[in-house]
Amino acid sequence: MVELKSLNNSQREAVKYLGSAQMIIAGAGSGKTRVLTYKIAYLFKKEKYKTDSILALTFTNKAANEMKDRIRELIGKKADNLWMGTFHSIFAKILRIEAKYTGYKSNFSIYDTEDSLSLVNNIINNLDINIEGITANSIRHRISFVKNHMIMPKEFRKKHVNSFIDGKIADVYDEYQKRLFENNAMDFDDLLLKPIELFKSKPTILQKYKKKFHYILVDEFQDTNKAQYEILKLLVSRNCRITVVGDDAQSIYSWRGANLDNMYNFEKDFPKHKVFRLEQNYRSTKTILKAADSVIKINKDQMVKTLWTENNDGEKLIVIKCADEKDEAHQIAKYIKNEISKKKLSHMDFTVLYRTNAQSRVLEDIFRREKLPYEIIGGIEFYKRKEVKDVIAYLRVIVNQKDEESLLRIMNFPQRGIGNTTVTRMIEFARKHNLSLFQTMARVFEVIEIKERIQKNVKGFRLLLEKYIDLKDKLSIGELSRALVDDLGLIRMFKAENTQESLQRRENINQLLIALSEFSDSGKKAKLEDILEELSLISAIDTKDDEKNVVTLMTLHSAKGLEFPIVFLSGCEEDIFPLSNRFSTDATIEEERRLFYVGLTRAQKKVFISHARSRYRFGEVAYQSRSRFIDELDPQTISEINGGIGRKANRKTRKEAFYEYFDSVDYDDFDQDNKDVRPGSRVMHEKFGLGKVTEIIGSGDMVKAIVQFEGNNIKQLMLKFAKLKILN
């Protein structure tokens, strides 16, 4: 029997409910993971469900692994039989099992965002598309967006082409899907769309899985997109029960297709459902919860819930007004050091959250200077570093010779004298004779435009790949990858370069080899296909080391599902957070407000919120207004302080920062005889700092400029004596 005494009443009721459909509205920090793990254990121990008949879907591998570890503590090794993982990993598994019904081979490659972008780029070049202002990345993003909404190429061309540019995107989309199939590859979106196609075209396969899964549980239901919800509706049968857990107040992924309406439609699609609410927060102080509630209640469309906690009142939120982004980073570093000193905390107890990745640069600079150890989550992830992806590309070709994108990546790495012209001619030959690029390499001597010396290089490369294709099932993954890297001479090559960068690349490859060996020695029936799939689907947060004693820097989106004793929300200014403009819809602002709410509720003990008066943006210094979200906070929950504003020590910093920002720009001392200063001119004054001219009055030697300096400091200056510096 599973002991439920440690659960509160609401949690216990949610665990024990066994109706056909259940929605659990779980507020931030209310123990939803605990409820899900206990419910799965309860289904197994009390209700005698077989573990392999339970399907549990999450959004990160980290969440899935954490849940499985907890369930293992409750029910033992039987937990290993659960079908538990991310939507993408679970349905990739099903697609491999049922590959013969899809037209794909079971060894299909999974393209991450970078692979997809590379493919789109190649297609744009092949189709000779050159439209000013339209990038390969914007087209890739558009394709992903429409696929998230289950709009396939034919429908897109028929219903969504309203301009010349749309027509070109449709051309790329058509070719993109065709090339994925030819490469025996799927992108992330296909891992959700292909199961729907499979289930609808092969009813017997659908019945197989409807019969298999007797209970389905979904975590973070508010983040599901149209395709994910469609899969759930297909799988849930009369004999299958479903539990979804979510929080509408934490729906922050509409930009990647998440549809909050799924939570509202659940009531319609599952009319016999019952709603449970988890409202007791175990994470945050009363003050943090009160502050978060004061902001989120402004949103119009919400599911009813009232978070409360038995935790203490705690400290007020600290709102820091800073001079600029450098001052902001200095203030954050200072307060981290102060908190560590006063409260005997560790670096791992802190996180600094920001709206966009670009904001991390200044924080990194100052943290290095202040000798604060930090780690960025969501920067250049380990498995996306070039040298790591290069080795992985070799392994992918060894598994799937049709994977043209991976083959193109390694064709001349390390350099073997196979240039772009040679590759182009081989691709033309392949298309003409309906061959794959890998097949063409074996017939390279028929491509008469390629010199004999280069033909031999291509043949030698093909023989190298054939060697490891033959060894794939004879060696362990660790042995195979080490032999390959040694054969390629990568370690020797980077060692011979003997630069800081090359030594780091060598170390990265060593770390990859260790990871591959550990997977091989993990006791699983390890296949190379399995680890390549795992590496393709890994997310930034999955690689976070919870034991590493560093300050964590990351975007607010990356922080979802995490918690820290002390949280810094930085860059809380209009047009940065919320990341919006005057054309933004109410829905956009409401999602930004939910993101602010998520940031606040990551904190257990204390929150710092910082904003800057000026910030270097888009090539110039811009005056910033503080975020509306700060003004929406309950005044009783915050304490406002000035950081570097008005302090002599920081005036120098601001002036130095100005010159650093513009040290590549020509400045001239103002001379009214040969320069015209106009309203709108940006100027620098030795005493007052950076300013903007709002008005010119007078004439001759009596000309004056009215200048608004930072801090809303308005001065009237005689131009003859002002010694202003202006930006050309």
Side-chain angles (χ1 to χ4, degrees):
M1 176 66 73
V2 178
E3 182 59 65
L4 302 180
K5 289 182 180 178
S6 62
L7 304 179
N8 66 36
N9 289 336
S10 298
Q11 292 172 335
R12 197 176 303 116
E13 288 176 12
V15 166
K16 294 172 72 173
Y17 180 73
L18 293 171
S20 60
Q22 174 185 28
M23 177 185 284
I24 302 173
I25 301 174
S30 61
K32 70 176 177 64
T33 302
R34 187 177 181 81
V35 168
L36 279 170
T37 54
Y38 270 83
K39 188 168 188 80
I40 291 171
Y42 186 81
L43 291 172
F44 173 71
K45 288 278 192 178
K46 176 72 166 60
E47 299 301 318
K48 305 303 180 185
Y49 278 80
K50 294 180 179 179
T51 48
D52 63 356
S53 74
I54 298 172
L55 171 63
L57 298 164
T58 66
F59 274 83
T60 66
N61 292 309
K62 186 180 179 70
N65 291 334
E66 180 185 340
M67 284 177 60
K68 189 169 280 189
D69 287 344
R70 291 196 197 181
I71 295 167
R72 195 178 288 111
E73 290 176 6
L74 295 172
I75 68 173
K77 288 187 176 181
K78 286 282 187 181
D80 294 335
N81 297 325
L82 289 165
W83 278 62
M84 175 176 282
T86 64
F87 274 90
H88 292 90
S89 65
I90 290 294
F91 290 103
K93 180 178 178 179
I94 289 175
L95 287 169
R96 292 198 193 281
I97 293 171
E98 312 298 343
K100 64 182 179 181
Y101 299 107
T102 67
Y104 282 80
K105 301 292 184 184
S106 62
N107 62 344
F108 61 81
S109 299
I110 298 174
Y111 283 3
D112 63 17
T113 302
E114 187 181 327
D115 301 321
S116 295
L117 178 59
S118 175
L119 178 55
V120 169
N121 232 328
N122 289 333
I123 291 169
I124 289 172
N125 291 332
N126 293 341
L127 297 180
D128 197 23
I129 294 173
N130 185 12
I131 305 171
E132 187 176 349
I134 302 298
T135 64
N137 195 44
S138 65
I139 293 176
R140 184 209 63 79
H141 184 80
R142 181 80 181 277
I143 290 172
S144 179
F145 185 82
V146 298
K147 288 178 79 170
N148 266 308
H149 289 79
M150 297 177 62
I151 301 169
M152 300 313 292
K154 284 185 180 178
E155 183 184 353
F156 180 76
R157 189 177 290 280
K158 185 176 180 180
K159 298 181 180 179
H160 300 276
V161 173
N162 301 309
S163 67
F164 172 78
I165 292 175
D166 288 342
K168 292 299 181 184
I169 292 173
D171 292 341
V172 176
Y173 189 10
D174 282 336
E175 186 67 13
Y176 177 77
Q177 289 301 115
K178 177 186 172 189
R179 294 274 284 276
L180 281 174
F181 184 74
E182 289 174 350
N183 291 0
N184 192 35
M186 298 187 194
D187 63 14
F188 289 164
D189 303 314
D190 286 328
L191 296 179
L192 301 177
L193 294 173
K194 296 299 179 184
I196 295 172
E197 290 179 11
L198 172 65
F199 290 156
K200 287 186 174 181
S201 64
K202 302 290 182 183
T204 53
I205 303 298
L206 175 59
Q207 288 304 316
K208 171 183 173 180
Y209 288 97
K210 289 177 83 162
K211 186 177 179 181
K212 175 175 182 56
F213 298 128
H214 297 166
Y215 211 111
I216 299 176
L217 303 99
V218 185
D219 191 15
E220 306 286 8
F221 184 59
Q222 77 281 348
D223 293 333
T224 53
N225 63 23
K226 184 175 181 179
Q228 287 162 330
Y229 191 39
E230 184 69 20
I231 290 173
L232 292 174
K233 288 191 291 183
L234 285 169
L235 284 176
V236 176
S237 65
R238 192 168 47 185
N239 299 320
C240 179
R241 293 169 177 170
I242 182 169
T243 290
V244 299
V245 183
D247 180 8
D248 59 303
Q250 297 186 69
S251 177
I252 58 174
Y253 291 110
S254 67
W255 50 274
R256 71 181 188 195
N259 187 359
L260 182 55
D261 287 342
N262 290 346
M263 289 195 75
Y264 299 104
N265 291 336
F266 188 84
E267 301 179 3
K268 172 172 62 72
D269 295 326
F270 298 92
K272 295 182 180 180
H273 78 286
K274 186 171 181 180
V275 175
F276 293 77
R277 289 177 172 80
L278 305 182
E279 298 175 311
Q280 183 176 358
N281 177 284
Y282 291 91
R283 177 186 300 153
S284 306
T285 64
K286 287 185 174 71
T287 300
I288 291 172
L289 280 190
K290 186 177 180 182
D293 182 65
S294 65
V295 173
I296 198 63
K297 72 181 182 184
I298 294 171
N299 279 2
K300 295 175 184 176
D301 297 325
Q302 294 188 62
M303 291 184 163
V304 179
K305 63 181 172 300
T306 303
L307 283 187
W308 60 277
T309 184
E310 293 179 347
N311 295 338
N312 59 31
D313 289 339
E315 299 180 60
K316 288 186 175 183
L317 287 67
I318 306 297
V319 177
I320 312 169
K321 183 178 181 180
C322 306
D324 52 36
E325 65 265 51
K326 284 203 169 184
D327 180 36
E328 178 183 47
H330 275 295
Q331 296 298 324
I332 291 171
K334 180 185 77 175
Y335 281 105
I336 289 174
K337 288 183 174 181
N338 287 348
E339 293 290 322
I340 288 174
S341 175
K342 286 191 303 182
K343 299 177 181 176
K344 308 301 180 190
L345 297 172
S346 301
H347 291 107
M348 68 172 65
D349 294 326
F350 297 83
T351 186
V352 183
L353 307 180
Y354 35 79
R355 182 62 182 83
T356 64
N357 279 308
Q359 292 168 250
S360 71
R361 184 191 64 80
V362 177
L363 288 162
E364 288 186 82
D365 290 344
I366 301 303
F367 278 31
R368 281 194 294 266
R369 195 175 304 169
E370 296 293 326
K371 295 181 171 52
L372 269 178
Y374 68 89
E375 178 181 36
I376 290 187
I377 303 298
I380 300 177
E381 298 158 35
F382 177 79
Y383 291 105
K384 288 184 170 53
R385 295 183 186 277
K386 181 187 180 305
E387 60 279 5
V388 174
K389 284 213 69 167
D390 288 337
V391 175
I392 291 173
Y394 271 97
L395 297 175
R396 279 166 51 163
V397 173
I398 289 167
V399 167
N400 173 22
Q401 291 82 60
K402 288 187 175 182
D403 187 347
E404 188 174 288
E405 288 306 305
S406 293
L407 187 53
L408 288 172
R409 183 181 184 100
I410 60 174
M411 187 69 73
N412 202 35
F413 176 81
Q415 289 188 2
R416 50 177 62 92
I418 305 174
N420 291 335
T421 302
T422 300
V423 172
T424 300
R425 287 170 178 165
M426 283 198 295
I427 289 174
E428 288 171 354
F429 184 90
R431 301 284 185 267
K432 182 179 178 180
H433 294 86
N434 197 27
L435 300 170
S436 70
L437 182 57
F438 186 79
Q439 290 170 325
T440 298
M441 290 169 66
R443 295 174 56 177
V444 68
F445 294 107
E446 298 177 39
V447 186
I448 57 175
E449 300 95 336
I450 299 176
K451 294 179 180 178
E452 185 177 341
R453 174 178 56 82
I454 300 174
Q455 289 176 342
K456 288 180 179 178
N457 293 342
V458 172
K459 186 67 174 177
F461 179 40
R462 161 107 186 189
L463 289 172
L464 174 76
L465 293 174
E466 287 175 342
K467 171 184 174 181
Y468 286 95
I469 291 167
D470 181 60
L471 289 172
K472 180 174 76 73
D473 297 323
K474 299 175 183 176
L475 300 177
S476 71
I477 296 170
E479 291 169 334
L480 182 81
S481 54
R482 286 186 180 279
L484 173 65
V485 166
D486 187 57
D487 225 343
L488 294 172
L490 297 182
I491 301 295
R492 295 189 300 274
M493 179 181 76
F494 288 132
K495 186 177 181 180
E497 286 181 23
N498 198 32
T499 64
Q500 188 75 28
E501 182 182 8
S502 67
L503 294 177
Q504 182 60 56
R505 288 185 172 185
R506 184 184 69 167
E507 179 58 27
N508 287 340
I509 289 178
N510 277 327
Q511 289 300 316
L512 173 63
L513 293 175
I514 290 170
L516 292 169
S517 294
E518 286 176 349
F519 189 94
S520 182
D521 299 337
S522 64
K524 303 176 185 178
K525 291 181 179 178
K527 285 186 175 182
L528 187 53
E529 292 91 328
D530 297 333
I531 190 168
L532 291 177
E533 178 178 307
E534 192 169 304
L535 296 182
S536 295
L537 298 176
I538 205 163
S539 67
I541 201 62
D542 293 331
T543 60
K544 183 180 182 301
D545 183 353
D546 294 329
E547 302 302 317
K548 205 170 181 180
N549 190 20
V550 292
V551 179
T552 303
L553 308 182
M554 60 183 156
T555 65
L556 283 128
H557 285 96
S558 296
K560 179 79 177 300
L562 302 179
E563 61 183 24
F564 297 86
I566 298 183
V567 169
F568 286 81
L569 299 183
S570 64
C572 292
E573 298 138 33
E574 289 293 302
D575 298 332
I576 294 179
F577 192 23
L579 188 64
S580 60
N581 56 48
R582 61 194 178 94
F583 301 108
S584 296
T585 64
D586 289 344
T588 300
I589 294 297
E590 290 211 350
E591 179 155 330
E592 291 287 308
R593 188 175 285 112
R594 292 196 293 268
L595 190 57
F596 188 74
Y597 173 84
V598 166
L600 292 175
T601 54
R602 298 312 92 198
Q604 297 168 320
K605 302 294 184 184
K606 195 170 184 178
V607 175
F608 290 85
I609 300 171
S610 59
H611 64 98
R613 275 290 296 124
S614 64
R615 190 175 291 269
Y616 187 58
R617 302 184 69 203
F618 311 116
E620 63 179 20
V621 174
Y623 290 110
Q624 301 293 115
S625 300
R626 78 178 190 174
S627 172
R628 70 191 72 184
F629 301 149
I630 297 175
D631 298 321
E632 292 169 359
L633 290 164
D634 184 331
Q636 294 181 343
T637 65
I638 64 174
S639 175
E640 300 196 47
I641 61 174
N642 284 336
I645 297 288
R647 297 183 182 181
K648 188 174 181 181
N650 280 290
R651 279 201 294 270
K652 182 179 179 183
T653 300
R654 293 203 302 275
K655 183 178 175 183
E656 289 174 347
F658 177 85
Y659 284 113
E660 182 177 334
Y661 290 143
F662 295 106
D663 60 3
S664 62
V665 183
D666 292 327
Y667 282 87
D668 294 323
D669 286 331
F670 180 78
D671 180 345
Q672 67 207 50
D673 291 333
N674 55 35
K675 282 287 184 189
D676 289 326
V677 65
R678 300 181 179 87
S681 295
R682 285 181 291 111
V683 297
M684 182 70 183
H685 189 276
E686 184 175 0
K687 179 179 179 181
F688 303 122
L690 179 66
K692 185 175 183 179
V693 176
T694 60
E695 190 177 353
I696 300 294
I697 57 176
S699 60
D701 287 348
M702 302 301 292
V703 174
K704 298 176 183 177
I706 298 175
V707 185
Q708 180 180 5
F709 293 98
E710 59 185 48
N712 202 30
N713 183 16
I714 299 174
K715 297 292 182 182
Q716 188 175 125
L717 303 173
M718 189 81 74
L719 289 182
K720 187 176 180 70
F721 306 107
K723 295 184 178 178
L724 294 172
K725 290 183 181 291
I726 67 173
L727 178 62
N728 285 342

